[in-house]
Amino acid sequence: MILHTQLEPRFVKGVPRELEQGVLYVSMEYGTVVHSCCCGCGHEVVTPLTPTDWTLTFNGEQVSLWPSIGNWNLPCKSHYVIKSNRVLEAGPWGHHRIEAEKKRDKATKETFYHRVAESDQADGNRPTQPSLATVPPSTEKIGLWSKLWNCIRKI
């Protein structure tokens, strides 16, 4: 059940530690949208903006995110769409559908990033970027958001 049916978009550089219910924090600098789960459970929901994850649409007043947000790893298992600042409840998904979507998502990411890597290698004018697996770990301490972003990029 959805408790918060309307979200206020708030464009921020960084996301605050304490999230306000009913606020959609949009960080263009970090390509991430964060909010407190719309069911009211209080869990943090992070939606990365990448070619293989979510797409943000902003018309100057209202924000939409696509595809739907399925909080399958949260106890509430809420599922909803954010369209024009409104939260539209979507039906629950069963275990098999969730697992099929996770496999599809993983395959989509592998295909997309494989094509990007091939394109970079074929372009003789531009050096290829090292994969995350070949970048030596930094000795510098990094914050929670940076760690999360690095984990998401590895998927």
Side-chain angles (χ1 to χ4, degrees):
M1 179 146 127
I2 300 300
L3 179 65
H4 300 283
T5 58
Q6 189 80 15
L7 295 175
E8 170 199 334
R10 198 172 290 170
F11 288 84
V12 295
K13 180 177 179 178
V15 176
R17 290 188 191 277
E18 297 292 323
L19 302 180
E20 287 181 49
Q21 296 275 335
V23 175
L24 190 70
Y25 297 94
V26 180
S27 173
M28 298 307 290
E29 183 168 329
Y30 294 103
T32 305
V33 179
V34 180
H35 65 284
S36 183
C37 184
C38 293
C39 81
C41 71
H43 281 90
E44 181 177 89
V45 178
V46 178
T47 50
L49 303 174
T50 72
T52 61
D53 290 302
W54 282 270
T55 300
L56 174 81
T57 305
F58 176 60
N59 68 6
E61 292 181 11
Q62 299 171 326
V63 169
S64 297
L65 277 176
W66 187 259
S68 65
I69 298 166
N71 295 317
W72 315 128
N73 295 326
L74 298 181
C76 66
K77 304 227 183 294
S78 62
H79 183 209
Y80 47 89
V81 173
I82 298 173
K83 183 173 181 175
S84 301
N85 295 354
R86 292 185 331 236
V87 180
L88 309 171
E89 189 166 7
W93 282 12
H95 175 73
H96 294 296
R97 187 168 181 190
I98 292 168
E99 290 306 310
E101 176 57 22
K102 286 179 180 179
K103 286 179 185 176
R104 186 211 57 81
D105 185 55
K106 184 177 180 180
T108 298
K109 284 176 173 44
E110 287 175 358
T111 300
F112 177 82
Y113 290 108
H114 179 72
R115 286 183 183 156
V116 168
E118 283 180 342
S119 174
D120 285 349
Q121 289 175 354
D123 185 354
N125 298 327
R126 189 172 47 171
T128 60
Q129 296 294 320
S131 74
L132 290 174
T134 62
V135 176
S138 172
T139 57
E140 176 185 338
K141 286 191 171 192
I142 59 173
L144 177 63
W145 288 111
S146 297
K147 289 178 185 176
L148 177 61
W149 181 246
N150 287 337
C151 287
I152 291 169
R153 291 188 349 202
K154 289 180 185 177
I155 296 175

